[in-house]
Amino acid sequence: MTNGEQDDAGLWPMKGIQDVEWKDSGVDRLPKFPVLSTSYAVGQILRNDGLISLDSSTSIDVIKTFNVLCTWEPPSTTPSNATETIVIGAHLDSVATGPGVVDNASGSATVLEWLLSLKKAGWWVKGGQGNTGERVLPEERKIVWAWWGAEELGLVGSQYFASNSAGPLNVVAAINVDMIASPNGVPRIVNASSAPIDAVIAPSEKIQKRFEAEFRLVKESWERADSGMFNSDDWSFLEVGIPTGGLLNGASKLKTQSQREVYGGMANAQFDPCWHRGCDTFGNVNVSLLKLMSRVGFNAVQYLAKKKDLKSWLWNGLNN
């Protein structure tokens, strides 16, 4: 993987290698040699011709990153009563070569808008009750709104949180939003059945089906993202056994003719031609798709956040 732009020789300069365990392991874990990668075409040439000569200029830097977290805890109960946490997050960073408006300001701004909309609706006033005076959230519910750092360098921020905080907070579900305004995109839900960790497939499918129900309610088509989509912060939670769900529109893959017939756009073109490039600006945003994805996600988040005894519903009530 790389965050650099391909140069004239077809090489992709590596911008960084991350190691989230370095703090506890000392400088011996730092890389001792440069790592380079090439395009497939250049690789084929090298395979046939054999030897090349390279000059490499490298440096090793230890850089701190951070997550931005906002925790909602029922103010009318003691902390010990808040026994189930939902994490709703999106990565806040971009690659070095692009502004990152679709990837992933579209996701991080949407998560913030969800938070502000629910606060405005009175979800977190009157001792945990809404504007009507009735309790909105179960007494045990805690929500962590998260904006992850350094996702593009290897899910650094979300992995650190999942490894160190998910257990103490009793995180029972995680929602991830990554690229929901791709200019040639398709409304997509992460396909839980393709998760590489079998133990969390069934409960993650419950979250997936909630997203699907919300698309049906607004009478819009969608598709499930194929296997291999777990390359975003949802993976960090799956890895520690926490059910996840997510929304996305696609990045570098090409839209098929059948997808064009359903969703419009251009066939045989990338979902986002500006993915990880300098043209990922406000002009790259698919506004109508952003509105659809944010609306569907907002409704699903409300449903899950209000679900009493969510953990049991996810793991035991698989027919509900």
Side-chain angles (χ1 to χ4, degrees):
M1 294 182 64
T2 175
N3 291 321
E5 288 188 341
Q6 193 173 17
D7 62 20
D8 293 338
L11 294 176
W12 292 87
M14 297 295 289
K15 304 295 286 189
I17 299 174
Q18 62 85 20
D19 187 342
V20 296
E21 300 298 328
W22 177 83
K23 182 181 70 171
D24 300 320
S25 305
V27 295
D28 289 341
R29 290 184 66 102
L30 289 173
K32 301 295 193 301
F33 51 86
V35 178
L36 302 173
S37 63
T38 76
S39 67
Y40 177 80
V42 171
Q44 290 295 97
I45 295 173
L46 297 179
R47 181 183 178 185
N48 296 327
D49 291 347
L51 297 176
I52 61 171
S53 177
L54 289 175
D55 290 324
S56 175
S57 176
T58 63
S59 63
I60 297 174
D61 300 299
V62 179
I63 301 172
K64 290 184 178 181
T65 187
F66 58 88
N67 296 321
V68 178
L69 306 174
C70 175
T71 302
W72 279 10
E73 190 169 326
S76 64
T77 63
T78 61
S80 61
N81 288 340
T83 56
E84 288 188 346
T85 300
I86 301 176
V87 175
I88 303 166
H91 75 85
L92 193 58
D93 64 320
S94 174
V95 296
T97 53
V101 174
V102 170
D103 184 16
N104 184 39
S106 65
S108 56
T110 293
V111 170
L112 178 60
E113 186 63 24
W114 290 347
L115 182 157
L116 295 175
S117 296
L118 293 179
K119 185 175 185 299
K120 185 177 180 180
W123 273 43
W124 228 246
V125 297
K126 300 180 182 178
Q129 298 171 348
N131 289 331
T132 62
E134 299 178 358
R135 176 173 292 281
V136 176
L137 298 177
E139 198 170 275
E140 72 270 13
R141 181 72 68 250
K142 179 186 292 186
I143 303 176
V144 173
W145 305 88
W147 293 268
W148 307 118
E151 185 265 2
E152 299 288 4
L153 292 179
L155 318 181
V156 179
S158 60
Q159 281 192 347
Y160 184 86
F161 178 92
S163 299
N164 293 277
S165 301
L169 289 173
N170 191 28
V171 174
V172 299
I175 305 299
N176 186 54
V177 188
D178 193 353
M179 296 184 65
I180 58 168
S182 301
N184 195 37
V186 168
R188 310 181 92 185
I189 304 168
V190 172
N191 186 4
S193 64
S194 66
I197 300 177
D198 292 341
V200 291
I201 288 178
S204 295
E205 284 179 334
K206 294 291 293 290
I207 300 173
Q208 170 195 310
K209 290 177 181 177
R210 189 64 240 168
F211 282 120
E212 292 174 354
E214 298 299 342
F215 273 108
R216 292 190 190 98
L217 287 172
V218 297
K219 296 181 173 57
E220 293 286 352
S221 300
W222 78 94
E223 67 179 34
R224 297 171 184 172
D226 56 8
S227 60
M229 289 296 104
F230 295 92
N231 57 358
S232 186
D233 293 298
D234 47 355
W235 170 256
S236 300
F237 293 90
L238 288 171
E239 203 171 26
V240 295
I242 296 171
T244 70
L247 296 173
L248 65 161
N249 291 160
S252 61
K253 288 190 175 181
L254 303 183
K255 177 177 280 188
T256 65
Q257 177 62 29
S258 60
Q259 287 173 325
R260 190 201 71 80
E261 291 170 1
V262 176
Y263 305 106
M266 296 180 63
N268 301 314
Q270 289 180 317
F271 291 129
D272 184 358
C274 289
W275 178 64
H276 285 191
R277 297 179 61 196
C279 56
D280 188 10
T281 62
F282 286 110
N284 193 43
V285 172
N286 185 330
V287 176
S288 61
L289 188 53
L290 176 61
K291 288 180 178 178
L292 171 63
M293 301 299 287
S294 60
R295 178 184 179 188
V296 166
F298 184 58
N299 293 336
V301 162
Q302 290 183 80
Y303 180 92
L304 295 169
K306 292 191 291 185
K307 193 74 174 177
K308 188 172 179 61
D309 200 2
L310 179 62
K311 185 174 183 178
S312 292
W313 180 76
L314 288 171
W315 288 95
N316 302 322
L318 295 179
N319 295 318
N320 297 332

